[in-house]
Amino acid sequence: MANSFKNYFLKNANTTSQNVYVAGAGVSATVIGMTIGNTTAAPISANITVTSGGTSYFMLQGATIATGGALVPIGGDQKLVLETGDFVQVQTSAANSADVIVSVLEIT
């Protein structure tokens, strides 16, 4: 088994859910960090969903991010384990309003 640390990025998160990370074929992953940074001149809110086995679950719903601020829903003691085909999506309350960085340990 190979272990690889990787970063995944989403520029200009939007009002529709967008994939930030998808666990590929034969991959188990541990999300070790996630940051959503507000890039607008006004507060925004964000939703984070995790989909596994075809069912979506809210990790956060309507979390407010201040102007110039960031939300760190995963990091420190909080981790998220994903299996092949699982994915994480982000949706914000305004168009092109946030950048997202996800740090992952992939096990193949």
Side-chain angles (χ1 to χ4, degrees):
M1 291 179 134
N3 296 332
S4 301
F5 289 98
K6 296 183 179 180
N7 287 316
Y8 293 87
F9 304 92
L10 173 64
K11 184 85 173 156
N12 297 323
N14 221 317
T15 57
T16 57
S17 292
Q18 297 171 278
N19 288 350
V20 181
Y21 178 74
V22 178
V27 173
S28 293
T30 301
V31 179
I32 57 176
M34 180 178 196
T35 302
I36 304 171
N38 182 350
T39 58
T40 70
I44 61 169
S45 63
N47 297 331
I48 302 170
T49 55
V50 177
T51 300
S52 180
T55 302
S56 293
Y57 305 90
F58 277 104
M59 185 163 56
L60 284 174
Q61 187 174 20
T64 301
I65 307 172
T67 304
L71 176 67
V72 183
I74 301 174
D77 292 336
Q78 176 65 35
K79 307 292 185 277
L80 176 65
V81 176
L82 302 171
E83 299 295 330
T84 297
D86 294 351
F87 56 94
V88 177
Q89 294 185 314
V90 171
Q91 176 185 16
T92 58
S93 59
N96 304 320
S97 59
D99 292 339
V100 183
I101 303 169
V102 175
S103 299
V104 178
L105 171 60
E106 291 184 336
I107 304 164
T108 55

